[in-house]
């Protein structure tokens, strides 16, 4: 019981399939740096703060514009009305299923459209400026935080209304609908370890680690891409680091390249 947690290191290393070059990088404190970064493998770039890691990332991106995908822990999407179901592309399908069953227009099952509460406009809370306290969110008294007009909540699909469906986790939604289009998306969430999240959870409430994994979930099927992850483990719990590493390895096994900028040498 030493209390030490470990992640087993790879026994066999992958071989690069090519390289991308950085030529005469001079950005900020870089001094005419020439570099060939192997592709088809996971590459680690490490160094103390101020050693030029960020400058090098900027340089790689500018020398290979449009070919590099940067994945970080910043929030997914700037829209606070967006939820997990929207991001993974299943909300349309869910609304459609409700609409077909009740012979109504799908927009009545959207909180961003005709289905939305008129007082909070489908947000579920009212934001108030409390001067010294800053902005305070107060649950909308009209819809009770459901975001929907009450009259649409009597329409059910397999015994649940739209609010109850959005309150289910991704794993539950996948089973509940038993629909290939929906399962495909919820399976991807399961693979990145996010299937415990509620489908209606808004994207601005995700942690940095969750945002990062959600972004990766949409990339799992891709091949031949070059990803840069800047300090991907910062702020993550050990279990989340393990999940992340598994995902990154899978992306590389699919034929992608990953450049990880990391100060955490344990990773
Ligand atoms: Zn409301």
């Amino acid at each position: 019981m030493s209390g030490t947690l470990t992640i087993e290191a790879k026994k066999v290393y992958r071989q690069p399939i090519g390289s991308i070059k950085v030529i005469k990088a001079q950005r900020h404190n870089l001094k005419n740096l020439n570099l060939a970064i192997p592709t088809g493998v996971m590459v680690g770039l490490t160094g103390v703060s101020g050693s030029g890691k960020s400058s090098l990332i900027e340089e790689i991106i500018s020398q290979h514009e449009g070919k590099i995908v940067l994945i970080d822990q910043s929030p997914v999407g700037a829209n606070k009305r967006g939820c997990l179901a929207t991001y993974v592309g299943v909300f349309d399908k869910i609304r459609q299923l409700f609409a077909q069953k009740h012979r109504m227009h799908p927009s009545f099952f959207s909180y961003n459209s005709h289905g939305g509460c008129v007082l909070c406009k489908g947000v579920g809370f009212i934001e108030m400026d409390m001067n010294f306290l800053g902005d305070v969110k107060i649950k909308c008294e009209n819809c009770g935080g459901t975001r929907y007009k009450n009259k649409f909540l009597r329409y059910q699909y397999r015994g649940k209304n739209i609010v109850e469906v959005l309150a289910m986790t991704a794993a539950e939604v996948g089973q509940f609908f038993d629909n290939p289009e929906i399962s495909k998306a919820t399976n991807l969430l399961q693979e990145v370890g996010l299937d415990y999240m509620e489908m209606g959870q808004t994207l601005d409430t995700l942690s940095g680690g969750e945002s990062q994994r959600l972004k990766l979930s949409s990339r799992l099927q891709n091949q031949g891409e070059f990803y840069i992850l800047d300090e991907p483990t910062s702020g993550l719990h050990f279990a989340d680091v393990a999940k992340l590493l598994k995902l990154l390895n899978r992306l590389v096994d699919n034929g992608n390249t990953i450049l990880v900028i990391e100060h955490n040498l344990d990773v």
Side-chain angles (χ1 to χ4, degrees):
M1 288 288 283
S2 69
T4 312
L5 296 166
T6 55
I7 296 171
E8 204 172 327
K10 288 184 86 69
K11 292 192 177 71
V12 182
Y13 293 97
R14 300 180 188 95
Q15 293 301 314
I17 52 173
S19 67
I20 71 159
K21 292 187 170 58
V22 180
I23 296 156
K24 291 191 175 167
Q26 299 184 11
R27 194 174 295 253
H28 306 306
N29 51 353
L30 300 177
K31 297 190 176 77
N32 258 332
L33 183 69
N34 291 307
L35 197 66
I37 303 166
T39 54
V41 290
M42 195 185 310
V43 182
L45 176 67
T46 189
V48 294
S49 165
S51 58
K53 298 192 296 289
S54 304
S55 308
L56 185 57
I57 296 177
E58 288 171 25
E59 193 63 33
I60 297 169
I61 292 173
S62 81
Q63 289 196 17
H64 298 274
E65 222 186 313
K67 291 186 194 142
I68 310 279
V69 182
L70 186 65
I71 292 186
D72 57 18
Q73 297 192 15
S74 64
V76 182
N79 185 354
K80 69 175 166 194
R81 301 165 73 91
C83 68
L84 188 61
T86 315
Y87 184 83
V88 299
V90 301
F91 206 3
D92 279 345
K93 187 71 205 173
I94 291 174
R95 281 193 295 259
Q96 219 178 60
L97 290 170
F98 269 90
Q100 273 166 5
K101 169 148 193 241
H102 298 287
R103 297 174 187 277
M104 291 163 74
H105 195 271
S107 64
F108 292 116
F109 299 100
S110 166
Y111 58 78
N112 275 330
S113 184
H114 293 110
C117 164
V118 284
L119 186 63
C120 63
K121 300 197 165 49
V123 179
F125 55 83
I126 311 280
E127 226 161 333
M128 292 211 206
D129 180 5
M130 304 289 270
N131 289 320
F132 301 110
L133 296 170
D135 285 345
V136 175
K137 290 177 179 178
I138 295 168
K139 193 189 268 186
C140 172
E141 58 184 38
N142 191 39
C143 62
T146 67
R147 299 185 277 192
Y148 280 88
K149 289 191 185 91
N150 266 323
K151 61 179 172 181
F152 293 121
L153 302 188
R154 63 190 161 95
Y155 297 102
Q156 296 185 331
Y157 185 87
R158 296 186 180 168
K160 286 190 191 289
N161 66 33
I162 188 71
V163 171
E164 289 164 336
V165 164
L166 289 176
M168 284 196 279
T169 65
E172 289 165 345
V173 163
Q175 289 196 335
F176 179 79
F177 284 100
D178 193 22
N179 171 288
E181 214 175 299
I182 294 173
S183 312
K184 194 179 161 203
T186 55
N187 286 344
L188 284 177
L189 288 173
Q190 191 228 326
E191 287 180 58
V192 296
L194 291 177
D195 55 334
Y196 61 85
M197 291 183 56
E198 290 178 10
M199 272 316 209
Q201 186 169 344
T202 49
L203 298 175
D204 59 346
T205 61
L206 269 63
S207 71
E210 288 170 337
S211 298
Q212 184 166 252
R213 292 213 300 280
L214 185 57
K215 289 175 198 173
L216 287 170
S217 76
S218 60
R219 304 275 173 185
L220 287 182
Q221 320 280 354
N222 297 6
Q223 293 183 330
E225 297 208 295
F226 194 108
Y227 299 109
I228 296 182
L229 285 95
D230 191 7
E231 304 283 354
T233 65
S234 85
L236 298 192
H237 297 296
F238 184 85
D240 281 340
V241 173
K243 276 182 203 163
L244 178 71
L245 284 177
K246 205 172 139 202
L247 271 181
L248 298 185
N249 274 313
R250 183 168 153 194
L251 280 168
V252 178
D253 286 337
N254 275 357
N256 299 290
T257 305
I258 291 183
L259 176 61
V260 181
I261 317 291
E262 185 63 69
H263 69 274
N264 180 358
L265 292 179
D266 289 343
V267 177

